[in-house]
Amino acid sequence: MMYAYKLYASLLAIMLLAAGLSAQDENAPAGFPKEESPFSVRPLEELIADALQHAPLLKMQDYNVENAYLKVKLLDKEWSSYFNTIGSFQVGNIRYMDNLESDNGGDIRTITRENTFYGIGIQARLPLSDLLTRNDRRTLLHNQLEQEKLMRQEQQLKVREMVIRHYQELKLKLRMIEIKSQNLDFHSVAAEMAEKYFREGTLSLEEYTRAASARNQAEEALARAGAEAEVAFQLLREIVGTDIQDR
């Protein structure tokens, strides 16, 4: 009868402890006050905004959109390649020897003249194939531009989805820390009670060993949950590209 009373008192103490733990702030893992939690993060929409600004894929896609736009502009300026300007400029000296006859006899004169020649013109080349396919080529380039824009929107959705998934994964890991922490507290109290009863001779060695083993397993599970939460936190920070902790 006395053993049953002690067991009832122990279970009651454990239940009160578990109730106290469950009343903690759900945004911080058990054992970490909210203001001291190493895993408290900023609001989800802030993380998404930073991830969209940081994502290398989106930056690369911005270049693809710009390149497609420039191709359309180059097509609009294609007419300039149909016209060529040509010109020439020459400067030279020409020497003449004139033999003049007069009543006084012959008169030989040497005359040097400086001549300048120049010319300028425009040459037009109008390929018929370019003219006939211009509209089709413009439509093709315009479609490529729109495809690049749609691709960027799709990549934005993927980045948002990735941040949301890792954010929820971190929340799950933090919840697992709470659960494992409560489980450890439960088994710690049970092990302490088991040790007390074992010393009093009301509990067998096998039962005491079982209680101590359960506490050790709970400690291991809590350590594993903490490591998994750390990995989830680091992955989310890598995706966002900046500090994600709520200061």
Side-chain angles (χ1 to χ4, degrees), residues 16 43 113 179 189 204:
L16 291 175
R113 297 179 180 177
I179 296 173
V189 174
S204 66

Side-chain angles (χ1 to χ4, degrees), residues 61 64-65 68-69 71-72 137-150:
Q61 190 59 33
N64 292 338
V65 172
Y69 174 72
K71 288 180 180 180
V72 175
R137 287 184 289 125
R138 180 178 178 82
T139 301
L140 178 62
L141 293 177
H142 181 74
N143 291 342
Q144 290 178 353
L145 175 60
E146 294 302 317
Q147 286 178 351
E148 296 295 345
K149 291 180 179 180
L150 293 175

Side-chain angles (χ1 to χ4, degrees), residues 49-61:
D50 288 340
L52 291 174
Q53 185 176 2
H54 166 74
L57 285 177
L58 290 178
K59 293 180 180 179
M60 182 176 65
Q61 190 59 33

Side-chain angles (χ1 to χ4, degrees), residues 183-200:
N183 190 46
L184 175 59
D185 291 334
F186 179 88
H187 285 289
S188 295
V189 174
E192 290 177 1
M193 291 296 180
E195 182 179 2
K196 178 182 179 182
Y197 295 154
F198 174 73
R199 292 181 181 277
E200 293 176 355

